[in-house]
Amino acid sequence: MSEGAIPVLETERLQLRAPSADDLDVSTAMWGNEDVVRHIGGKVFSREEVWSRILRARGLWAMLGYGYWAVYAKESGRFVGDVGFADFHRAFEPSIEGIPEMGWVLDPWCHGRGFGGEATRAALAWGEAQLGAPEYSCIIDPENKASIRLALKLGFAEASQTLYKGTPILVFRRLAASPAGTTSTTA
């Protein structure tokens, strides 16, 4: 992958593409929804904070060679959410620094449709084919049962319980496996 190029991933129903300025309004609506942020800090995000998230998502790719995608439903063109990897150098023990940390957040309209699993499987397949990392991690609020179920379906296993910024979290880890079938192009 050339520097600055963010791959576009295609699944049967979804497209994962580079976050852009065009995502600001739909992303602001999602991050402004109390149901979305209940297990992600509990505070809704302002338009300015969402803009910073979009900029950070693009910066991850430039700095690390991986990051977050904006996810859209192919059939309707509707925004689904954000899925990807980061290394935020989070301050907790045991540390996951240096291990690609997977994250996902989905707009409530698409809950229960299997989009979360479809998008995260595509991202993991890309990660395993491109990054060569021996393992992946994710952190989840212990009350977020839907994300815990998804993490377990993806092959993550609970590795530890700790505090992050004074809040309990579960740390999950997943050993790399062979990639699942998706196609990738470069945008």
Side-chain angles (χ1 to χ4, degrees):
M1 179 171 69
S2 64
E3 186 174 328
I6 300 173
V8 175
L9 305 182
E10 301 274 344
T11 69
E12 182 181 338
R13 301 180 297 162
L14 303 174
Q15 182 184 65
L16 288 70
R17 62 151 177 81
S20 75
D22 293 339
D23 301 323
L24 181 57
D25 290 338
V26 291
S27 193
T28 298
M30 180 184 73
W31 285 103
N33 185 318
E34 290 181 359
D35 288 336
V36 170
V37 299
R38 179 178 345 138
H39 300 297
I40 310 171
K43 176 189 156 299
V44 297
F45 288 75
S46 70
R47 181 177 169 86
E48 178 182 348
E49 291 168 324
V50 172
W51 179 243
S52 291
R53 291 185 71 85
I54 292 170
L55 294 173
R56 180 176 68 180
R58 292 294 293 250
L60 287 166
W61 286 99
M63 294 285 295
L64 303 175
Y66 58 86
Y68 275 78
W69 289 274
V71 182
Y72 281 83
K74 284 181 177 178
E75 188 174 298
S76 66
R78 198 166 175 189
F79 180 69
V80 170
D82 302 321
V83 170
F85 305 100
D87 184 354
F88 292 127
H89 295 249
R90 296 184 193 272
F92 63 77
E93 293 296 328
S95 177
I96 58 172
E97 201 169 305
I99 301 169
E101 176 189 336
M102 181 162 223
W104 54 85
V105 60
L106 303 176
D107 198 286
W109 78 266
C110 63
H111 290 178
R113 298 173 187 245
F115 287 166
E118 191 171 327
T120 52
R121 283 190 303 276
L124 276 169
W126 176 88
E128 291 178 349
Q130 300 298 318
L131 301 179
E135 69 176 318
Y136 297 86
S137 64
C138 66
I139 64 171
I140 302 175
D141 178 322
E143 300 301 315
N144 190 343
K145 303 304 182 201
S147 279
I148 292 169
R149 278 192 306 275
L150 178 55
L152 294 173
K153 285 180 186 177
L154 294 170
F156 285 93
E158 186 179 328
S160 61
Q161 300 177 19
T162 191
L163 294 177
Y164 177 57
K165 296 185 178 179
T167 302
I169 60 164
L170 303 176
V171 179
F172 288 79
R173 292 188 173 205
R174 177 187 187 277
L175 294 177
S178 47
T182 67
T183 59
S184 172
T185 60
T186 303

